[in-house]
Amino acid sequence: MPSARALTLATLAALAAVSSAITTGCDSRKPGEGAAVGKPAASAPAATTSASAPEARKGASTPGDDRFAAQIAANLSRVPDPAIQLPEGASAELDNGTFRDRTIAFVRQVAAGADRVTCDLPLSSRRPFRALVMGFQEGKQIARGDASDAGLCVALKEATRRAVAAAGGVREALAGARLVVELPDHHESVLESVESAEGKRKGVELIEGLVPVRSLDKALLTKRIEEGKGYLLRVVDPQHKGVHKYYHAPADRFENELHTIYTASTALTLLKLHAHKPDERLLRQATEAASFMMGMQSHDERDRTAGGFFYSFDLERKRPERRLVVGTASKSIFTLIELHGVTKDKKYLESAVRAADWLIAMQRPDGSVRSALSGQDGGAWKVQGKESMLYTGQVLSALSRTYRATNNKKYLDAAGQTADFLLARIAKKGCFLGDDYRKPNPISSSWAVLSLLDFAKASGDPRFEQAVFRCADDLVKRQWRRPEDAYRYGRWQRSLSSSGTGWLAEVMSEVYHHCRQKSMDGCERYKDAVVAAIRLLLQYTYGPENSFVVKNPQVAVGGVFWSVRDRYVRTDSVCHAMNAYLNMIGELGDGPLLTLPERPLAERMALAAEATSAGAPGAGPSEEDGEDGEEPAAGRSGPKGDDPDD
């Protein structure tokens, strides 16, 4: 895997080509289609050795990405080589926006095959300019050109000519593509915007392959809530009413399974949306999803499975996976109790109580929790005993909420055992917690915060409330809040995924509301943490500008993709983000909530030209950002079912 410091979009595009070939073979259907057998994967473009033509040798290819070398060698001689002319009169100093617009305009001139092109980019540097020009169409990279020169205009022209050659060599080769221009040695990336109503295209800032959100206000958040709602309604299977875990946006495919826990999470968010703005369609979708969930609940009293929920449903084999996870039961309880509160239909509470009884059976005497039951050949069940702080927290929250819904002390007593276990762990290890799945990390720690908050509400014991705020404050201190770093701002250290950021934002929003309800001082620190995280989540949300890497932008819009490397959407990323948005939207004013100004172009380019790649400001993530235990990318190897996020 390339160093995290060198994650240019060119590197990400090469990784995406491999990932897309893998996931296409695993995916089964497009959004809106019925279940179908997976189609075979399309072969990735074969690697070829560059020809020895003199022109082909001018542009050095990036190691590991020579997919277009043969096309460039074959077609470059047919691509026009226009003369560069400078504009009349002295050019004013460029600002960031003007530089990006002119860069895209110049590259488009060259790609169109003009005899003469005007370049109004008066920039100089002590190091040569290395330019990469890439074209994307329907989610696929169709072109790539690379060139270096002491002059920026020459480097851009030669890189563009190679990109045209890579796409076939004709004038129209890049006409329908979105362009990306990178100056990797100067840490500059420009994305061509979508076409405006006037037919114009501009340059958009890219940082590590992301379109940064530099300004956040309530209007933008309101728009993203509507888009997120549309996305969640699209991920519900039209026949079974369950929800997929993954949407592989680059390939426009869902995986061939429906997952109980993601169905529960989606239904819960739909109920929150319904509470925010009543809509009977949302309530109907939530109840239909609950029917799928309850259909996945075991009723077998002969073994220890009764009350648990089967983890997933295989659409090819038409049967559930013989695996019952405590996290699945816990998150299902959240939704069933909420649905009972809305509809007053006792069947939802009865299902939640059966699940809570099963969770008690999965507890150990010390309050810790067994993770799952897995079906074995011959019908026996195997207990998985690995400790997960996520599962422990989920069980504690579920039992606490069951007590509040039923007033049955059995559930408060059972919750108390696990709450004491967690409190003892915090006293011994501190607030930053790990488990058998992960080293200490903010996700495990945040589940301790939320579950102890749920228990504090159920029991009224101040010891647990004090632990909630102490550990929430510890998490606030671990959030990245340097305004000059738009790539990381709002993220928590050791949490790289959008699901993790969304979950932490959701937890902090719950802590903020509890703080306000108790009329405590300093509640704004939790609100500020949530707002910072929301900005980051919007940066990972598919919309018109950053959907150039997906096949079907209309389906992807509103989806929150997993990470910079992995552009699939995992449903819980959307649910957690939406829950945080909905928890906070009523607390926000109409003015700017957060602004991250961009440094002037001359300052950025000068610093980047002088700095080494290891120490350059804005050079991307460093090694300290790595998160142990990140779930393997969809379609890659990894222990199935051992993801503690579930």
Side-chain angles (χ1 to χ4, degrees):
M1 181 65 67
S3 167
R5 294 186 186 276
L7 276 180
T8 63
L9 189 62
T11 304
L12 293 169
L15 291 170
V18 178
S19 178
S20 179
I22 295 171
T23 58
T24 300
C26 300
D27 300 333
S28 63
R29 70 173 186 86
K30 296 183 179 180
E33 292 180 351
V37 177
K39 297 179 181 180
S43 299
T48 55
T49 304
S50 177
S52 59
E55 284 195 311
R57 288 200 299 267
K58 290 182 183 178
S61 62
T62 299
D65 187 9
D66 55 357
R67 292 170 291 149
F68 301 104
Q71 296 97 304
I72 293 173
N75 298 323
L76 187 57
S77 62
R78 299 192 290 118
V79 179
D81 187 359
I84 298 175
Q85 59 186 17
L86 300 178
E88 296 181 0
S91 297
E93 182 174 313
L94 293 176
D95 60 25
N96 289 306
T98 303
F99 169 75
R100 294 182 183 114
D101 291 347
R102 290 182 182 179
T103 297
I104 292 297
F106 176 71
V107 169
R108 274 296 174 193
Q109 287 183 71
V110 177
D115 295 330
R116 303 181 68 83
V117 291
T118 301
C119 186
D120 193 5
L121 295 168
L123 287 179
S124 60
S125 172
R126 294 186 181 182
R127 62 167 60 186
F129 289 98
R130 178 173 172 236
L132 279 76
V133 175
M134 291 166 280
F136 292 84
Q137 195 166 29
E138 295 184 352
K140 293 182 180 180
Q141 185 183 3
I142 63 167
R144 180 186 182 280
D146 185 346
S148 297
D149 194 270
L152 175 58
C153 297
V154 175
L156 287 171
K157 183 189 79 168
E158 292 301 323
T160 303
R161 293 182 63 236
R162 284 165 174 76
V164 172
V170 298
R171 292 174 185 266
E172 301 81 14
L174 297 178
R178 293 274 300 281
L179 300 180
V180 173
V181 179
E182 285 193 345
L183 306 176
D185 294 340
H186 292 75
H187 309 295
E188 181 70 23
S189 295
V190 183
L191 167 67
E192 185 178 33
S193 69
V194 294
E195 192 170 24
S196 67
E198 297 79 23
K200 296 181 179 179
R201 296 198 176 196
K202 296 185 176 183
V204 177
E205 180 186 11
L206 272 183
I207 299 178
E208 303 295 332
L210 296 174
V211 178
V213 175
R214 291 196 173 273
S215 180
L216 172 63
D217 58 24
K218 190 173 182 178
L220 176 60
L221 185 57
T222 300
K223 181 180 179 182
R224 292 294 179 262
I225 288 174
E226 286 300 309
E227 291 172 348
K229 177 177 70 176
Y231 178 85
L232 289 178
L233 291 174
R234 289 192 294 273
V235 300
V236 178
D237 183 84
Q239 178 182 352
H240 300 280
K241 307 304 180 182
V243 172
H244 295 273
K245 180 177 181 178
Y246 294 112
Y247 170 57
H248 299 292
D252 190 28
R253 293 281 173 179
F254 290 120
E255 95 283 20
N256 214 14
E257 293 179 337
L258 302 176
H259 292 259
T260 308
I261 189 170
Y262 296 98
T263 304
S265 294
T266 299
L268 184 61
T269 301
L270 293 178
L271 290 172
K272 284 180 173 288
L273 283 162
H274 176 65
H276 173 64
K277 187 183 295 184
D279 183 342
E280 289 303 313
R281 179 183 57 154
L282 298 174
L283 182 57
R284 184 179 67 255
Q285 289 277 10
T287 57
E288 290 175 348
S291 294
F292 171 82
M293 291 160 50
M294 290 189 292
M296 294 288 282
Q297 189 171 30
S298 172
H299 296 272
D300 194 341
E301 300 289 348
R302 297 170 299 176
D303 52 30
R304 296 179 61 181
T305 67
F309 289 83
F310 293 103
Y311 176 71
S312 64
F313 183 82
D314 189 315
L315 289 170
E316 288 187 25
R317 298 179 180 179
K318 306 294 183 184
R319 66 188 186 195
E321 177 185 1
R322 293 187 71 241
R323 177 174 168 79
L324 299 98
V325 185
V326 295
T328 302
S330 299
K331 296 297 286 289
S332 296
I333 287 173
F334 292 9
T335 302
L336 292 166
I337 288 176
E338 189 71 21
L339 197 52
H340 173 258
V342 174
T343 67
K344 309 305 179 186
D345 191 329
K346 65 180 182 179
K347 68 182 180 183
Y348 300 121
L349 186 58
E350 290 170 351
S351 178
V353 166
R354 284 194 294 271
D357 290 339
W358 181 74
L359 291 179
I360 292 175
M362 294 294 286
Q363 283 183 303
R364 296 187 181 95
D366 65 354
S368 63
V369 177
R370 302 174 182 90
S371 296
L373 296 179
S374 296
Q376 307 296 301
D377 292 339
W381 292 90
K382 179 181 178 181
V383 177
Q384 292 193 358
K386 291 175 70 175
E387 182 195 5
S388 163
M389 292 305 298
L390 278 73
Y391 288 153
T392 301
Q394 288 165 358
V395 170
L396 175 54
S397 284
L399 293 174
S400 299
R401 296 184 189 195
T402 304
Y403 167 71
R404 296 182 70 190
T406 63
N407 205 32
N408 187 331
K409 194 171 181 294
K410 175 175 74 171
Y411 302 111
L412 182 64
D413 291 342
Q417 286 182 279
T418 299
D420 287 338
F421 172 81
L422 268 182
L423 204 60
R425 175 64 60 88
I426 291 170
K428 182 178 180 181
K429 299 287 188 179
C431 287
F432 203 52
L433 300 171
D435 52 41
D436 291 341
Y437 291 95
R438 292 181 174 185
K439 295 178 180 178
N441 66 89
I443 311 302
S444 299
S445 305
S446 63
W447 263 112
V449 170
L450 183 72
S451 61
L452 290 175
L453 177 59
D454 277 327
F455 184 72
K457 292 176 180 178
S459 66
D461 191 328
R463 294 179 302 145
F464 298 97
E465 185 178 78
Q466 292 164 8
V468 167
F469 290 115
R470 183 170 72 253
C471 291
D473 288 342
D474 180 80
L475 284 172
V476 169
K477 294 175 184 177
R478 296 177 185 275
Q479 191 180 30
W480 196 280
R481 298 282 288 276
R482 296 170 63 176
E484 69 273 15
D485 188 352
Y487 174 71
R488 299 177 183 86
Y489 187 93
R491 206 187 77 199
W492 272 267
Q493 297 174 27
R494 299 185 66 80
S495 175
L496 290 178
S497 72
S498 60
S499 175
T501 300
W503 172 248
L504 284 154
E506 182 179 349
V507 171
M508 285 297 168
S509 69
E510 296 288 348
V511 174
Y512 167 72
H513 281 290
H514 187 71
C515 182
R516 289 285 304 275
Q517 290 166 5
K518 292 288 185 175
S519 300
M520 300 177 67
D521 295 329
C523 301
E524 292 298 306
R525 65 189 184 274
Y526 306 122
K527 177 181 176 181
D528 292 344
V530 179
V531 170
I534 286 174
R535 185 213 69 88
L536 187 74
L537 289 165
L538 298 187
Q539 201 162 274
Y540 283 78
T541 302
Y542 280 124
E545 295 298 357
N546 65 6
S547 60
F548 64 99
V549 294
V550 306
K551 186 175 182 179
N552 191 343
Q554 289 73 31
V555 173
V557 66
V560 183
F561 53 86
W562 182 254
S563 69
V564 171
R565 287 188 180 96
D566 298 308
R567 298 300 178 109
Y568 59 80
V569 180
R570 210 174 87 168
T571 302
D572 60 327
S573 296
V574 185
C575 294
H576 294 323
M578 291 284 286
N579 293 345
Y581 302 164
L582 293 165
N583 283 349
M584 297 304 296
I585 191 71
E587 303 291 322
L588 306 177
D590 293 327
L593 303 172
L594 184 64
T595 302
L596 302 181
E598 188 178 11
R599 289 183 301 161
L601 178 70
E603 178 185 338
R604 291 193 302 108
M605 296 291 277
L607 284 172
E610 299 300 321
T612 62
S613 61
S622 65
E623 284 83 352
E624 69 177 0
D625 299 318
E627 180 184 12
D628 292 305
E630 278 288 333
E631 182 189 80
R636 299 181 189 173
S637 61
K640 183 177 181 181
D642 279 355
D643 173 16
D645 286 347
D646 293 337

